[in-house]
Amino acid sequence: MPDVPPNPAPDRIGDALVLTLATSAATFAVAKASATIGRGQENTIRLDDLSVSRRHARIAYRQGGYWLSDLGSMGGTWVDGTRLNAPKRIAAGEVIDIGLCRLTVSFTGASSSPAHVVQARGRGGRA
């Protein structure tokens, strides 16, 4: 498990975006950087589920927020039940469905460490 503070502040954007996988409670944090999400080994956030494309989606930090984009995946990327057709700024409390994996968005507070990407390798799950 990555080193993520136990009480992310859902009402504001802190240093890192935190995605929590519904089925295993695995967490993935992206700290003011970009990350790719997919089944392939080369991804920052790896979801080991056949319903997830090898390179499925990307999260990028820009314009003071985190933006989610689909990378042409077969099943699409969904936010709160709506298919993503263009990059979308994501907010705390939103639910991202990638294949059969469900991720909930939250944010950490400010930290004194430099921005970095923390990753966890977990099995993808069913929504």
Side-chain angles (χ1 to χ4, degrees), residues 89-112:
R89 186 173 179 163
I90 50 179
E94 288 183 318
V95 175
I96 300 169
D97 290 310
I98 293 180
L100 296 175
C101 298
R102 177 161 283 175
L103 300 156
T104 303
V105 177
S106 61
F107 296 95
T108 65
S111 75
S112 58

Side-chain angles (χ1 to χ4, degrees), residues 3 5 7 21-22 31 33 36-37 44-45 53-54 57 61 69 81 89-92 99 101-103 107 113 121:
D3 183 20
N7 296 317
L21 186 60
T36 56
I37 304 170
T44 311
I45 298 172
S53 294
R54 290 184 58 75
Y61 183 83
S69 303
R89 186 173 179 163
I90 50 179
C101 298
R102 177 161 283 175
L103 300 156
F107 296 95
S113 62
R121 302 282 191 211

Side-chain angles (χ1 to χ4, degrees), residues 1-5 8 14-21 25-37 43-47 59-61 66 90 103-109 111 113-121:
M1 283 281 221
D3 183 20
V4 176
D15 281 347
L17 165 82
V18 178
L19 301 175
T20 303
L21 186 60
T27 58
F28 308 92
V30 180
K32 292 186 181 177
S34 66
T36 56
I37 304 170
N43 292 288
T44 311
I45 298 172
R46 185 166 176 263
L47 300 174
I59 295 173
Y61 183 83
Y66 291 91
I90 50 179
L103 300 156
T104 303
V105 177
S106 61
F107 296 95
T108 65
S111 75
S113 62
H116 63 284
V117 175
V118 179
Q119 59 187 348
R121 302 282 191 211

